[in-house]
Structures are given as structure tokens and as C-alpha cells.
């Protein structure tokens, strides 16, 4: 008999760990219970499963988070480690669990749900690709020759660095709300690094006894013939300090290359890495807007801070309910109906975004931003280079499996993440997918896309 199980006890969670290890781990790899301890923590009590014949045969990990967007705090749930025993597949277990997870998130008053996968199962449930991240490649031939800034010293992280380390992490425009023990646990679990047989190396940069930046590098032995590369799991501090630290880390760890990720709002890092090869993609996994009016209310402190920084007043805008699950943006007296997909685009990709599952939308968005930046600078600078930088920055594969993570990290060929050795040309025209006038788009660009933490980093599920 099939039974939906909530608030799994320790024995059932141990069965869930064994099931997840069977699906996502190979012999000798760290257990999913070690890599993702929150998923299997009975104290949280939100992961759910289906039992048949007295044993757990299907499971979905459910973890609540709070995410900072500037001064705003969002209630977010994350799903991962979705798995079903091979003998019980094809019976709709994952669909049942996903719908129960949605109901659970609604009862909890979650504004967003992050799902660590892109399967059609999730897309049919209203989950969409979102946001943008750029993956740069640092190469030993060019980057290790760079010298440290005067007075900067690089060393391994020490136990008495925790307060300053957290201060640097909290200074990012967006991030997961976490305590120092949370931070320490995430570094120790090595969740993403373990998928590749890597371990964390945490390095810090300091000057005059003060910590300036940190990088968490995932590195380790690479099998012959593999295109696996070491990568930065998380970084914090000013980009101008992080980059030389990452280069010094390459030298200390004797790495021939290093992948460094920058989200769309981390414009200063992108400026400093101009000319480096990169790939573009969405954030890992998908997102579902669970409660748009709640999300809008939770974002108000961020909106107010952005308006103040721009020296303007908040727009006359509200979210208006149209029908069950449908909402419009009321902006300056005009009602703009938007689908769930459109709202996701506006919030996480901006008013000029296209409904694209590949990197093209991000490429076009960045090109358009460069074009606008150039147009703003030319009259004042008469061709001078540079521009003011924006604020410094400092959910497992759909089940936590290494194979899909490998694709995300570029270990296998992927036409949706082709190498871009140089910036694309700005696109022409003003047509856009979202039903906005040019004036409305200009207004909304002040607030969107939202800065959002990289979803394959430490606080990932």
C-alpha cells in the first residue's frame, strides 16, 4: 500500500540517505547524508517521502531558507535530492511529492521555491529557468603571472577568521542568511565539490592585519583525459581583491586553470575579467514564485533602497490579482498582465529579457546594458574609458547527481554554454518580450533584475 510520509523519523531519513546514495553516488563517493545534511535533518522535519511495502521508495528533500536581497529578506524553500527506487519508477511518485511540497510551501508562506533541477516535471509545475551567471576561465599561462597588490598577503583561512569572514559574506548585495555555524558546516560538507571528487581550499587575503577577501576553491586530482576543472565555489570581498587572491590560489595549489563564477549583478568582477573566455547560463535549477504579493511585500526594503540610491521616489506600482494564480503589474495607472513566466523574467532577468532556456537572453541583456552605459558616458567623457561600477558582490543537481552537475560545470559539451572569447555586439531595436513601453522598461531597469545569490554555491540546498 502506498503511503505519503511527512515529518520523517530518523529511521525513515536513514532509508532516504541510502536511497539517495544508490541513485546519486558511486562507490567511494561521500554519502548524500554527509554532503547535504540539512535535507536529512529530522530537526527541520520538512522532507517528505512515499513508502510502499514498509520501506521508503521515493523521496524529496525540502529545506527552508531566508535570502537577503539588499536590506530585504525573502522566505524561500529549496527542493533537492528528488529520487525514486528503480523498482517503483513510472508510478507518479515524484509528481505526488512535488505537489505536496508546493502545498507545504504555501502553508509555510514561502515567497519562492528553488528546485535543483530542470526536468519537465518541474516545468509543468510552474518552475522556470531564471537569472544569469557567467563562468570565467582563469588560465595559468596568463593569470598566475599577475602579482599581488602591494601589502596584500595570501594565506589559508584560520579558525579566528570567522567573524571577519562572515562580515565579508554578509556584505554581498545578495546572499543566504546564515550563522557562523551554518557557514562552517557548509564549508565542511563540501557538497558541490564532493560531486567531482574535490575538496575545499579556503584562502583569504589580508593587508595590515585586516581581511580583505576570501575564496573557496574546489580542487583535487583530475583523471587522465577528463575535462574537469577546479572552480571557485564562493567568493567574498571586493572584486579587485578577490581576483588577485584567486590567482594566488592557483599558484599555491599548482592549478593550470580555475573557473570563477560571477552572477549578473557582479558587474565589477565582469569588468576586471574583460577579455577572459567565459560561458553564460542561467542559475542552476529552476524557480517557482509561490506567492507573488508576499514576495512583492518582502522586496519593499530593497525597492526603497534602490530608489534612494537613484535619488528618486518609488514608482506608483502594485501587484493586482486577476484570477487564480494570475497577476498584473499596475504601473502608473496602467494594468500590465504578466504570466508566471513573465514575472520570473522581469524579476530575475530584467524588463528586456527574452524567455530563453539558453544563454542568449543573458548575452543580449549584457550587450544592451553596455550599449546604454556607453550612451550615458559618451557625452560626459567624450570617449574616455571606464564607468562607475555597481555595488561590489562579494538547489544539488535535480537530485544531487554528479552527472548533471558535470554538465552545469562544463565537464561535457553543451551547445547552450559555448565559449565566448569576446563580448557580443549590442543588438539593435527596442522590441521586447514583456509588454512594456520604452518608458516603463527604463523605469523598471532601476530595480530589475534582482541581485540573487549563485545557486550552486555553499548555501545551495
Amino acid at each position: 500500500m502506498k503511503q505519503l510520509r511527512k515529518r520523517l523519523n530518523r529511521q525513515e531519513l536513514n532509508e532516504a540517505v541510502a536511497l539517495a546514495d544508490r541513485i546519486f553516488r558511486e562507490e567511494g563517493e561521500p554519502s548524500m547524508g554527509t554532503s547535504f545534511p540539512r535535507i536529512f535533518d529530522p530537526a527541520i522535519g520538512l522532507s517528505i517521502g512515499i513508502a510502499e511495502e514498509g520501506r521508503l521508495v521515493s523521496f524529496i528533500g525540502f529545506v527552508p531558507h531566508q535570502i537577503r536581497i539588499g536590506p530585504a529578506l525573502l522566505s524561500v524553500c529549496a527542493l533537492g535530492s528528488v529520487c525514486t527506487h528503480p523498482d517503483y519508477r513510472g508510478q507518479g511518485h515524484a509528481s505526488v511529492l512535488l505537489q505536496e511540497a508546493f502545498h507545504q510551501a504555501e502553508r509555510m508562506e514561502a515567497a519562492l521555491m528553488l528546485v535543483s533541477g530542470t526536468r519537465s516535471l518541474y516545468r509543468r509545475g510552474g518552475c522556470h529557468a531564471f537569472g544569469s551567471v557567467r563562468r570565467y576561465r582563469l588560465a595559468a599561462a596568463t593569470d598566475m603571472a599577475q602579482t599581488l597588490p602591494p601589502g596584500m598577503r595570501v594565506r589559508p583561512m584560520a579558525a579566528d577568521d570567522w567573524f571577519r569572514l562572515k562580515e565579508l559574506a554578509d556584505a554581498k548585495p545578495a546572499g543566504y542568511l546564515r550563522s557562523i555555524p551554518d557557514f562552517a558546516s557548509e564549508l565542511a560538507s563540501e557538497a558541490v565539490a564532493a560531486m567531482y571528487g574535490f575538496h575545499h581550499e579556503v584562502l583569504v587575503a589580508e593587508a595590515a592585519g585586516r581581511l580583505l577577501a576570501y575564496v573557496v576553491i574546489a580542487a583535487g586530482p583530475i583523471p587522465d583525459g577528463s575535462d574537469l576543472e577546479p572552480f571557485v565555489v564562493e567568493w567574498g570581498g571586493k572584486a579587485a581583491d578577490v581576483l588577485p587572491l584567486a590567482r594566488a590560489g592557483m599558484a599555491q595549489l599548482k592549478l593550470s586553470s580555475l573557473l570563477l563564477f560571477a552572477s549578473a549583478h557582479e558587474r565589477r568582477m565582469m569588468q576586471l575579467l574583460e577579455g577572459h573566455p567565459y560561458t553564460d547560463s542561467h542559475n542552476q535549477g529552476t524557480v517557482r514564485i509561490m506567492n507573488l504579493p508576499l514576495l512583492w511585500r518582502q522586496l519593499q526594503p530593497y525597492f526603497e533602497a534602490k530608489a534612494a540610491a537613484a535619488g528618486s521616489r518609488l514608482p506608483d506600482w502594485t501587484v493586482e490579482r486577476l484570477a487564480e494564480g494570475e497577476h498584473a503589474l499596475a504601473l502608473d495607472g496602467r494594468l500590465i498582465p504578466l504570466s508566471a513566466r513573465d514575472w520570473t523574467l522581469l524579476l530575475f532577468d530584467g524588463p528586456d529579457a527574452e524567455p530563453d532556456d539558453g544563454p542568449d537572453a543573458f548575452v543580449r541583456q549584457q550587450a544592451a546594458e553596455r550599449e546604454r552605459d556607453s550612451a550615458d558616458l559618451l557625452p560626459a567623457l567624450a570617449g574616455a574609458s571606464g564607468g562607475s561600477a555597481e555595488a561590489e558582490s562579494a538547489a544539488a543537481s535535480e537530485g544531487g547527481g554528479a552527472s548533471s552537475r558535470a554538465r552545469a560545470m562544463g565537464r561535457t559539451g553543451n551547445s547552450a554554454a559555448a565559449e565566448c572569447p569576446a563580448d557580443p555586439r549590442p543588438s539593435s531595436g527596442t522590441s521586447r518580450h514583456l509588454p512594456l513601453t520604452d518608458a516603463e522598461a527604463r523605469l523598471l531597469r532601476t530595480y530589475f533584475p534582482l541581485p540573487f545569490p549563485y545557486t550552486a554555491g555553499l548555501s545551495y540546498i
Side-chain angles (χ1 to χ4, degrees):
M1 180 179 177
K2 182 188 302 184
Q3 291 181 319
L4 178 66
R5 296 285 180 86
K6 306 176 188 178
R7 292 201 61 85
L8 303 176
N9 59 37
R10 170 48 68 191
Q11 178 181 339
E12 290 168 328
L13 286 167
N14 288 340
E15 291 180 34
V17 171
L19 177 60
D21 286 346
R22 173 180 179 141
I23 303 300
F24 303 121
R25 289 296 190 252
E26 296 179 2
E27 188 175 352
E29 293 182 342
S31 170
M32 292 285 287
T34 301
S35 297
F36 301 98
R38 291 192 187 100
I39 292 177
F40 307 99
D41 185 353
I44 295 176
L46 291 171
S47 294
I48 51 182
I50 290 177
E52 287 199 34
E53 302 172 353
R55 63 171 176 165
L56 200 74
V57 299
S58 192
F59 176 78
I60 189 167
F62 189 116
V63 180
H65 287 286
Q66 290 180 302
I67 287 181
R68 297 179 296 100
I69 306 292
L73 198 61
L74 310 186
S75 54
V76 179
C77 292
L79 300 185
S81 193
V82 183
C83 53
T84 299
H85 192 284
D87 294 343
Y88 294 86
R89 289 176 180 167
Q91 301 178 32
H93 289 351
S95 295
V96 170
L97 290 177
L98 186 62
Q99 290 306 311
E100 177 57 31
F102 290 158
H103 294 324
Q104 191 163 268
E106 289 169 353
R107 292 192 297 269
M108 293 177 62
E109 297 189 339
L112 292 173
M113 177 171 283
L114 299 175
V115 181
S116 59
T118 58
R119 293 166 53 187
S120 60
L121 167 69
Y122 308 135
R123 294 178 181 272
R124 290 194 303 270
C127 303
H128 303 285
F130 74 108
S132 303
V133 65
R134 181 168 286 182
R135 183 195 72 168
Y136 288 92
R137 176 176 285 104
L138 308 183
T142 55
D143 287 277
M144 286 172 64
Q146 303 283 338
T147 58
L148 290 174
M152 178 182 285
R153 183 172 76 95
V154 172
R155 60 170 175 79
M157 172 198 160
D160 52 8
D161 292 328
W162 280 116
F163 287 122
R164 178 58 181 154
L165 208 67
K166 183 160 188 305
E167 184 181 342
L168 290 171
D170 289 348
K172 301 178 194 179
Y176 292 81
L177 189 68
R178 58 190 179 187
S179 66
I180 289 176
D182 291 335
F183 201 171
S185 176
E186 289 161 3
L187 289 175
S189 65
E190 301 182 327
V192 180
M195 296 178 184
Y196 309 96
F198 284 168
H199 295 284
H200 285 163
E201 300 286 347
V202 186
L203 300 176
V204 300
E206 64 179 359
R210 182 171 180 269
L211 258 64
L212 303 175
Y214 71 90
V215 292
V216 182
I217 296 176
I222 298 175
D224 292 340
S226 170
D227 56 358
L228 179 64
E229 296 182 83
F231 56 94
V232 175
V233 181
E234 179 172 304
W235 55 269
K238 292 184 177 180
D241 296 321
V242 171
L243 195 52
L245 170 60
R247 287 166 170 156
M250 290 179 65
Q252 290 189 15
L253 300 174
K254 297 180 172 57
L255 306 178
S256 60
S257 66
L258 181 66
L259 304 179
L260 189 150
F261 297 82
S263 295
H265 61 277
E266 294 165 335
R267 301 282 296 281
R268 180 55 177 160
M269 180 62 82
M270 293 182 181
Q271 291 174 353
L272 293 176
L273 287 169
E274 185 83 18
H276 284 71
Y278 61 83
T279 62
D280 286 311
S281 69
H282 288 293
N283 279 308
Q284 295 302 309
T286 49
V287 68
R288 187 180 195 265
I289 299 173
M290 296 300 306
N291 187 327
L292 183 61
L294 173 62
L295 175 62
W296 199 258
R297 290 196 300 272
Q298 290 182 349
L299 285 169
Q300 285 306 305
Y302 166 75
F303 293 150
E304 292 168 0
K306 291 293 285 185
S312 61
R313 299 177 61 184
L314 272 176
D316 180 14
W317 60 8
T318 57
V319 172
E320 299 292 335
R321 182 186 174 104
L322 298 179
E324 184 66 32
E326 297 181 3
H327 296 85
L329 175 65
L331 180 60
D332 291 333
R334 188 169 89 89
L335 203 62
I336 308 170
L338 298 174
S339 67
R341 179 57 171 141
D342 290 342
W343 277 107
T344 303
L345 284 171
L346 174 63
L347 294 171
F348 298 103
D349 295 276
D352 304 299
E354 297 292 331
D356 225 349
D357 285 343
D360 295 347
F362 181 44
V363 172
R364 286 194 294 271
Q365 174 189 326
Q366 294 296 309
E369 288 175 354
R370 281 192 298 274
E371 187 176 30
R372 289 195 300 272
D373 290 346
S374 298
D376 292 341
L377 289 169
L378 282 174
L381 302 182
S385 62
S388 62
E390 295 186 359
E392 290 278 358
S393 141
S397 66
E398 52 197 60
S403 60
S404 57
R405 251 323 145 225
R407 290 191 292 274
M409 296 297 299
R411 286 171 61 182
T412 60
N414 188 340
S415 60
E419 288 282 337
C420 303
D423 286 338
R425 283 186 154 191
S427 57
S428 60
T430 58
S431 63
R432 61 180 60 85
H433 169 75
L434 297 179
L436 304 170
T437 67
D438 288 346
E440 290 166 344
R442 283 196 299 273
L443 178 63
L444 293 173
R445 286 183 199 124
T446 301
Y447 305 93
F448 308 109
L450 298 171
F452 205 78
Y454 176 45
T455 54
L458 290 178
S459 298
Y460 166 71
I461 185 148

